Amino acid sequence: MSETGNNLSGQPLRLDVALVHYPVCNRNGEVIGSAVTNLDLHDIARAGRTFGVDSYYIITPFADQQQLVREIVDHWVTGYGAGRNPARREALNLISLCPDLAGLYATVTDKWGVRPTVLATSAQVNERTVDYASVRARIKDGEPILLLFGTGWGLTREALAEVDGLLPPLKGGGEYNHLSVRSAAAIVLDRLLGRS
Amino acid sequence: MSETGNNLSGQPLRLDVALVHYPVCNRNGEVIGSAVTNLDLHDIARAGRTFGVDSYYIITPFADQQQLVREIVDHWVTGYGAGRNPARREALNLISLCPDLAGLYATVTDKWGVRPTVLATSAQVNERTVDYASVRARIKDGEPILLLFGTGWGLTREALAEVDGLLPPLKGGGEYNHLSVRSAAAIVLDRLLGRS
């Protein structure tokens, strides 16, 4: 991890990111499992490495999808791509697999010795919404935080009901709000950890 | 354009984005033309639409690459995808083609009646660097601005020498700085136009 991702006391950030492929919604609000895509792995790993994320978890219960993740990561971390592009190796080295959210929560709780605060982005603003500035300060103070990003049309209502807080929707001047999950993750990490 | 992308006076933003495929550098610093990729079109168009960008220009001199761009855009703007995903139609509708930077500068100068301020992101900080807050204010004041993003290993030195200013590199806590151009564009637009 070298010099990236230390808080003010020089300790590594206790921040993890997870990209959830199940359970998420499709365009009709039905619960589905989405397919893993190569660029979701690369782009969010590169942003995670840039901003000092500890681990980037890919959540999918499907064996063939897990195998695809392993093959992509192996290519860049230990295979041909590792020598060809060391910067990409450093990024994809953040990736771990988890079959489901229960497994994810157990893994990160075990890692930090305490259950982290779990936050998800949401199109809604309600009493569970936490603002970016306060989360930024909590990360800097060393609080373990886990950020969930949903693929497809987003995390199911049941998954959102389990998290500890919601990050406000990412907006420009208007109501249009259809960023890719890759763009949303990059912006959220910049808001929480970026420097000019 | 509807409600998105107005400044404080209710005027549309005079902000354009261009993704440059030539002239850019490869990993060895040689000048190349890079290939257009589908997700570069989608992700940056979606971010552009979210943050109120007027046009998203794809710069490539290669006829086959231009044709690929036309086919992708047509599918989503007038073809099957337009009915299936109207939000994507709105985003890809921002896309225009230009063969080269000279053509781009002529096009945007003609559109705004004045040559816009051309800014590019750069890994260097020097006397041409402008900070995000001041550019944000200038956009809000109605100044026409054109943001250039380079694919591959970035814009050539000659292309960078022609721009009016450089935006600071996007960093987290450390020196690792290998974001995808999709992530970089999303973060830059959020820093210039995003709201919590």
Side-chain angles (χ1 to χ4, degrees):
Chain A
M1 291 289 297
S2 73
E3 79 293 346
T4 299
N6 295 329
N7 69 10
L8 287 181
S9 326
Q11 298 301 308
L13 301 176
R14 300 207 285 176
L15 177 69
D16 296 302
V17 167
L19 186 66
V20 182
H21 297 81
Y22 176 87
V24 294
C25 297
N26 68 7
R27 69 176 69 225
N28 302 317
E30 297 156 343
V31 180
I32 58 157
S34 69
V36 168
T37 76
N38 183 49
L39 275 190
D40 285 351
L41 301 190
H42 281 263
D43 279 15
I44 298 176
R46 294 164 74 180
R49 178 66 185 86
T50 296
F51 291 108
V53 164
D54 192 73
S55 294
Y56 169 30
Y57 296 98
I58 306 297
I59 314 305
T60 176
F62 306 116
D64 61 335
Q65 299 288 301
Q66 294 174 354
Q67 185 55 27
L68 173 64
V69 173
R70 280 188 207 100
E71 287 173 10
I72 293 169
V73 171
D74 285 350
H75 172 79
W76 291 102
V77 172
T78 59
Y80 178 72
R84 188 163 161 78
N85 192 338
R88 201 60 64 89
R89 177 185 183 283
E90 272 192 69
L92 292 208
N93 205 22
L94 298 188
I95 293 179
S96 291
L97 274 165
C98 264
D100 52 35
L101 287 173
L104 172 66
Y105 296 151
T107 296
V108 290
T109 300
D110 189 53
K111 176 166 79 167
W112 301 124
V114 59
R115 184 181 158 103
T117 304
V118 183
L119 303 177
T121 52
S122 170
Q124 301 155 28
V125 175
N126 60 35
E127 71 284 356
R128 299 167 64 213
T129 301
V130 289
D131 64 272
Y132 288 95
S134 70
V135 177
R136 188 176 172 106
R138 288 157 66 180
I139 293 169
K140 200 170 279 183
D141 286 345
E143 179 176 332
I145 305 260
L146 169 64
L147 301 176
L148 299 187
F149 294 97
T151 56
W153 267 249
L155 293 168
T156 60
R157 193 177 304 181
E158 291 72 20
L160 284 174
E162 281 185 359
V163 306
D164 301 307
L166 302 173
L167 288 165
L170 300 168
K171 291 199 292 194
E175 292 309 310
Y176 187 96
N177 178 18
H178 299 282
L179 293 169
S180 73
V181 71
R182 297 170 291 282
S183 296
I187 292 171
V188 167
L189 289 175
D190 183 58
R191 288 188 177 197
L192 296 179
L193 298 158
R195 303 184 187 181
S196 291
Chain B
M1 293 288 298
S2 74
E3 79 291 344
T4 299
N6 294 329
N7 67 11
L8 288 180
S9 326
Q11 299 301 308
L13 301 177
R14 299 205 287 174
L15 178 68
D16 296 302
V17 167
L19 185 66
V20 181
H21 297 80
Y22 177 86
V24 294
C25 296
N26 68 7
R27 70 176 68 224
N28 301 318
E30 298 155 342
V31 180
I32 59 156
S34 68
V36 167
T37 76
N38 182 49
L39 275 190
D40 285 352
L41 301 189
H42 281 262
D43 278 16
I44 299 176
R46 293 164 75 181
R49 178 69 185 83
T50 297
F51 291 109
V53 164
D54 193 71
S55 293
Y56 169 30
Y57 296 98
I58 306 297
I59 314 305
T60 176
F62 307 116
D64 61 334
Q65 299 288 301
Q66 295 175 353
Q67 185 56 26
L68 174 64
V69 173
R70 282 188 205 100
E71 287 172 9
I72 292 170
V73 171
D74 285 351
H75 172 80
W76 291 102
V77 171
T78 59
Y80 178 73
R84 186 161 164 79
N85 191 337
R88 200 60 64 90
R89 177 185 184 284
E90 272 191 70
L92 292 207
N93 206 22
L94 299 189
I95 293 178
S96 291
L97 274 165
C98 265
D100 52 35
L101 287 173
L104 171 65
Y105 297 151
T107 297
V108 290
T109 300
D110 189 56
K111 177 167 78 169
W112 301 125
V114 59
R115 183 181 159 103
T117 303
V118 183
L119 302 176
T121 53
S122 170
Q124 302 155 28
V125 175
N126 59 33
E127 71 283 357
R128 299 166 65 211
T129 301
V130 291
D131 64 272
Y132 288 96
S134 70
V135 178
R136 188 175 173 109
R138 288 156 66 181
I139 293 169
K140 200 171 278 183
D141 287 344
E143 179 176 333
I145 305 260
L146 169 64
L147 301 176
L148 299 188
F149 294 97
T151 57
W153 267 249
L155 294 168
T156 59
R157 193 178 304 181
E158 292 72 20
L160 284 174
E162 282 186 356
V163 307
D164 301 306
L166 302 174
L167 288 166
L170 300 167
K171 291 198 292 194
E175 292 308 310
Y176 187 96
N177 178 18
H178 299 282
L179 293 169
S180 73
V181 71
R182 298 169 292 281
S183 296
I187 292 170
V188 166
L189 290 174
D190 183 57
R191 288 188 176 196
L192 297 178
L193 297 158
R195 303 184 188 183
S196 292

